Amino acid sequence: MTITAGAFTFVSDLLQQHAAIVLSPGKEYLVESRLMPLARQIGLDDVGALVARLQSRPDDALRRQIVEAMTTNETSFFRDRDPFNAFSQAILPDLCKERSATHRLNVWSAACSSGQEPYSIAMSIVDHPLMTPDWQVEVLATDLNEEMLERARQARYSQLEVNRGLPVAMLVRHFERAETDWRVVPAVRGIVRFKQLNLAEAFDIPQMDVIFLRNVLIYFRPSTKVEVLKRVRRILRPDGYLFLGGAETTLGLDDAFERVMVGSTTAYRHKGARPMQMPSRLSAAVAGAGLSALPRPGSTLGPTPGSAVRGVASASHPPPPVGWPFQASTNNSISSQGRR
Amino acid sequence: MVIDDSSAMRLILGRIMRSLGFDVVEAPNGAEAIARLQSGAMPEIALVDWNMPVMDGLAFVNAVRREEKWRQITLMMVTTESEQSQIVRALAAGAHEYVIKPFTPDAIADKLALLGVLAY
Ligand SMILES: C[S@@+](CC[C@H](N)C(=O)[O-])C[C@H]1O[C@@H](n2cnc3c(N)ncnc32)[C@H](O)[C@@H]1O
């Protein structure tokens, strides 16, 4: 059974108004499948009855539940891999140099869903040899969806979730078992701060060095994309970096951004931003594997950014780095078993 | 190369690997897998179960890592062993990646991409 045209219009107006999300005609099945569990949960027979209930009297909590149920929260650790490689192999070294006076770094995950994106960023930072403990780092993670934010704060992921996109070395370094799930360790959780934020409304957050605004603009209509990009641009520091999702761009929406290639991925910067100090080549291997060539994060003397990145690049299809996942551990008897 | 004592699991993994464009060789335990390697098979990647008769997955990983000529073989454990200490043991022995059963076909493809064995 599909919902009536009236109910569909009501839900799509609600989404447009409260999340700026566009629900194109023909998506009736989506409304059905996403709202049915909610209808059942509160003891109603079908989605029609759920919509009728909200139409009959204002109910902020119910309205919020409906909007949240309609958002797409699909995500994974190190999603698409390349942006995270660019972040740790090129952008972090560049910003470390530029921010050596303040030793502060602010990163924003602007549609963080259940937390995999901000924790991927945080793991990359914690693992980075240039990010010594005297740095003040904050990863601000925001989303419209309160329920997702609550999941993200729990930092608990199922076996299926950690199988996806997360290098196993990162799993053993940055997670601990919680019954059959895995939980992000406090050292990583500690640099992430969560906050509810609607990108479609004015927001007040600090200036950011790097912004991940990935796989969320696609849900907005062009005029909303323009507004959101403009607000995001004001938050981005003059020499900062913006990442969008693979199907998203600023082109034709905001001409004050320019595209830059970082390795094999695209980032966006303010037009005329100081040039970045780009390593000659980035490793295609994932962050965790790439880190095998980096010295132990605990070591006091980090390598120069260039040398670290070259070291990674030279091992583009590395033979087994025996013992490398232990480089971040304090157990030297294990980490010294490496083949080097 | 798919190494698992369960023929059902070999079938599933074999199917996934073929759909990703790999030719697949199977072995029901570590010893037979080693025999295959010795007779000249040179897989790009081996998916290795842990608990198998005759020679288990960990012993297989150790045996492969002792031989310089097999250094290029990427090793990925695919097993129900899910204790952190076990994962650490396998990695220390020289496995590159680790998938805990149950898994989705996507998880296998994701990990292969992480390893650079499969283009993204
Ligand atoms: C597909 S997920 C993307 C997650 C992550 N950035 C990634 O790339 O994997 C989209 C997220 O955008 C959020 N979202 C949708 N509309 C939003 C809005 N107006 N403001 C803030 N977040 C929104 C949803 O709640 C959802 O968690």
Side-chain angles (χ1 to χ4, degrees):
Chain A
M1 190 206 84
T2 53
I3 54 166
T4 63
F8 179 77
T9 308
F10 180 79
V11 172
S12 88
D13 287 350
L14 206 64
L15 272 180
Q16 173 62 49
Q17 199 185 335
H18 296 282
I21 296 173
V22 179
L23 200 59
S24 45
K27 292 278 174 72
E28 283 82 1
Y29 71 93
L30 201 65
V31 176
E32 271 290 324
S33 64
R34 296 225 169 130
L35 295 187
M36 196 59 203
L38 180 58
R40 287 266 157 77
Q41 190 190 316
I42 55 181
L44 296 170
D45 285 340
D46 55 33
V47 174
L50 181 72
V51 170
R53 153 122 21 145
L54 186 58
Q55 281 173 318
S56 69
R57 58 187 156 86
D59 180 341
D60 282 351
L62 183 61
R63 190 204 68 214
R64 192 174 57 79
Q65 281 180 302
I66 290 179
V67 171
E68 292 192 357
M70 286 304 304
T71 61
T72 302
N73 308 115
E74 163 85 17
T75 188
S76 62
F77 289 105
F78 297 96
R79 184 171 184 176
D80 301 331
R81 188 189 55 174
D82 291 342
F84 295 91
N85 282 353
F87 176 70
S88 62
Q89 294 179 38
I91 292 175
L92 275 182
D94 175 77
L95 288 173
C96 275
K97 210 170 221 173
E98 284 300 318
R99 306 282 186 271
S100 59
T102 58
H103 273 211
R104 271 171 183 274
L105 188 75
N106 292 85
V107 183
W108 180 25
S109 168
C112 68
S113 190
S114 40
Q116 284 89 332
E117 182 176 277
Y119 289 129
S120 299
I121 296 167
M123 287 186 269
S124 304
I125 292 172
V126 167
D127 273 343
H128 205 281
L130 294 172
M131 285 279 134
T132 45
D134 50 331
W135 278 78
Q136 276 189 49
V137 180
E138 184 176 85
V139 179
L140 176 66
T142 65
D143 200 283
L144 174 80
N145 190 325
E146 296 271 16
E147 195 186 322
M148 283 300 133
L149 282 170
E150 194 40 45
R151 278 211 55 199
R153 282 191 193 98
Q154 294 298 318
R156 242 183 116 125
Y157 299 95
S158 71
Q159 191 58 61
L160 291 177
E161 287 169 316
V162 298
N163 267 343
R164 296 217 52 191
L166 183 69
V168 70
M170 295 250 180
L171 178 68
V172 293
R173 261 205 308 269
H174 298 306
F175 289 75
E176 55 204 5
R177 254 348 249 277
E179 287 107 55
T180 58
D181 293 340
W182 295 83
R183 184 146 199 243
V184 181
V185 293
V188 174
R189 286 206 311 268
I191 63 172
V192 184
R193 182 165 66 93
F194 291 96
K195 181 183 147 100
Q196 201 266 352
L197 183 149
N198 183 351
L199 289 165
E201 289 168 2
F203 43 78
D204 180 25
I205 60 170
Q207 293 277 298
M208 293 291 160
D209 299 299
V210 186
I211 299 175
F212 286 74
L213 177 69
R214 305 197 67 228
N215 303 299
V216 62
L217 286 182
I218 35 170
Y219 302 107
F220 301 155
R221 61 160 66 137
S223 60
T224 312
K225 293 181 192 179
V226 169
E227 283 168 37
V228 173
L229 281 171
K230 193 166 160 194
R231 275 196 289 271
V232 164
R233 180 157 48 76
R234 294 208 191 102
I235 299 295
L236 185 67
R237 289 223 165 89
D239 62 349
Y241 298 86
L242 167 70
F243 284 111
L244 300 178
E248 297 161 338
T249 179
T250 63
L251 295 183
L253 297 169
D254 192 329
D255 292 339
F257 277 112
E258 71 183 355
R259 277 165 61 115
V260 293
M261 287 305 289
V262 187
S264 50
T265 198
T266 307
Y268 298 85
R269 306 189 74 196
H270 290 282
K271 228 172 214 162
R274 67 158 175 84
M276 93 180 282
Q277 305 142 39
M278 185 83 80
S280 52
R281 207 182 125 216
L282 302 193
S283 166
V286 79
L291 287 167
S292 64
L294 301 176
R296 204 171 307 155
S299 65
T300 41
L301 249 178
T304 66
S307 70
V309 171
R310 266 195 302 282
V312 172
S314 64
S316 73
H317 188 199
V322 179
W324 63 267
F326 311 105
Q327 289 182 339
S329 101
T330 49
N331 190 340
N332 283 316
S333 65
I334 298 182
S335 62
S336 61
Q337 278 174 12
R339 71 196 154 78
R340 274 162 289 251
Chain B
M1 183 177 277
V2 173
I3 312 166
D4 201 306
D5 59 336
S6 145
S7 58
M9 189 48 70
R10 289 200 304 274
L11 192 70
I12 293 171
L13 285 170
R15 221 176 252 159
I16 294 173
M17 294 304 280
R18 279 186 201 96
S19 77
L20 295 171
F22 291 88
D23 293 328
V24 178
V25 184
E26 295 179 12
N29 60 59
E32 290 211 18
I34 290 287
R36 291 279 163 86
L37 294 180
Q38 267 156 355
S39 59
M42 188 47 95
E44 199 178 341
I45 175 152
L47 308 187
V48 189
D49 183 23
W50 190 308
N51 296 303
M52 295 180 289
V54 192
M55 180 194 254
D56 71 18
L58 188 63
F60 172 80
V61 168
N62 278 314
V64 169
R65 284 298 162 246
R66 272 197 294 273
E67 293 286 341
E68 188 61 38
K69 59 178 190 271
W70 295 335
R71 180 130 275 185
Q72 289 307 317
I73 304 174
T74 299
L75 299 174
M76 180 156 94
M77 301 299 291
V78 182
T79 168
T80 49
E81 286 295 337
S82 63
E83 284 308 311
Q84 209 150 356
S85 57
Q86 294 290 73
I87 301 176
V88 166
R89 273 180 77 196
L91 296 179
H96 294 84
E97 258 303 339
Y98 202 107
V99 174
I100 302 169
K101 295 172 185 170
F103 54 85
T104 58
D106 292 348
I108 301 286
D110 269 9
K111 292 279 185 171
L112 295 178
L114 286 184
L115 289 164
V117 174
L118 196 69
Y120 234 86

